[in-house]
Amino acid sequence: MAVNEREKAVLDWLAGRKDAMVSLLEAIVNIDSGSYNKAGVDEVGKVIQAHLKDHDIPVEVMPDDTYGDCFTGTVAAETPGANRHILLMGHRDTVFPDGTVAERPFRVDGDLAYGPGVADMKGGLVLNTFVLEAFKACGGAPAPLVGLYTSDEEIASPSSRPVIEGQARNAMAVFNSEPGRASGNLVVARSGACFFEFEVTGIPAHSGSRHQDGASAIEELARKIQKLHALTDYDAGLTVNVGLIRGGNSVNTVAPWARAEVDLRCRDMAVMDAALPKVDAVLAETGLKGTTTRKTRERRFLPLSQDDAAKGLFEKYRGVAGELGWKVGGERTGGSADSGFTAAVGAPTVCATGPVGGKGHSPDEYLELDTLVPRAQAMALTIMRLQA
């Protein structure tokens, strides 16, 4: 299908914006914005908001007292009256601690950019921002186009989830700009996740002279870790990992307390619904007399699966990419993302529409700069073809 005059204008506008994209990317990568660093996450937001406002795109901020604020930038439809919108989504937080930018700031080596969060997912934020600006510069979008910039995805979106779900309801399409896979593919399925913490309370005693009077919280924790790990079932698509443990007061004291943080991943909601009662049963059972256990925190990501509407959206994107001269497929990943929340409220969703990158959450995280413009063009052209 040949591009029409309107489509060509948007594609041509984006074609000349690589340097500007890289400039914005550098500015936001060079801000520490770990999930719990509200000031840093909000500073990334201020840079993007200023960019949007410079292009006459109105911004609405949704304040949060604990985590970074969420905000939207909206481009109106070129023809008034559309009652469904298109949602572009991305998170501003990273997994990296304060001080990481000073240690390894944004840098470019050939086609690759490096720096904390450069792919996951500040590159996607840049892409979404320029797609919004392209439509604004070219007279509006085919339907109201909303860019949602969230703040705490790396910790399962405790404050952003209701905002995401509210924005996704009644959306005709959602593009979540997590990084494109190293293969160039989009993500069409993601595992769900449950992150939880639990605490064991024991009875302290001198570990030499009164050992028999104590009840070790660490021993009870160890018993529970074995049972939790035993729930892993690769064939069913379920993994359980106790990733962090702490406990005890001193080497010569029977431990009065112990805590653990757990990552449970599941292929789909049926697996999650079957696994969580088993987890609760492990925590409820007391193996060592004198100890008690309680769950102290729980956060969840919902699985992403592809229904007929999402499959149609993916096929539309794949066809557009082919027209632009490159191939894209769809793949499953064990990582979780906010796209599970949008799919769960019924919004057709594709994920990993950001520029291609890899090695996320590591010092070697990278972004392929030459994919910024083509992936922005593919998203924009898909948006213009949604009703075709």
Side-chain angles (χ1 to χ4, degrees), residues 264-350:
L264 179 149
R265 304 276 173 151
C266 54
R267 183 161 53 211
D268 54 41
M269 280 305 302
V271 175
M272 180 178 281
D273 289 342
L276 292 180
K278 295 177 183 178
V279 168
D280 290 340
V282 170
L283 300 186
E285 180 183 3
T286 300
L288 182 62
K289 185 178 179 181
T291 64
T292 58
T293 301
R294 68 185 183 97
K295 189 184 290 184
T296 56
R297 186 167 67 171
E298 179 178 305
R299 295 172 179 165
R300 298 185 190 180
F301 275 118
L302 300 182
L304 172 67
S305 56
Q306 195 178 53
D307 60 13
D308 288 343
K311 185 176 181 180
L313 179 59
F314 168 73
E315 293 296 341
K316 183 79 70 174
Y317 185 104
R318 178 155 64 178
V320 160
E323 286 185 52
L324 295 174
W326 47 280
K327 295 181 179 181
V328 64
E331 63 185 68
R332 164 181 283 279
T333 178
S336 302
D338 287 334
S339 48
F341 299 138
T342 63
V345 300
T349 300
V350 289

Side-chain angles (χ1 to χ4, degrees), residues 199-205 215-218 247-250 253-258 290-292:
E199 180 178 73
V200 180
T201 301
I203 300 172
S216 172
I218 289 177
N249 288 344
S250 69
T253 302
V254 176
W257 67 275
T291 64
T292 58

Side-chain angles (χ1 to χ4, degrees), residues 73 81 91 121 123 125 149 169 176 200 266 282 355 377 379 382:
H91 64 87
M121 60 173 292
L125 299 178
Y149 300 81
R169 291 188 179 95
N176 190 36
V200 180
C266 54
V282 170
Q377 290 175 321
M379 179 188 289
T382 303

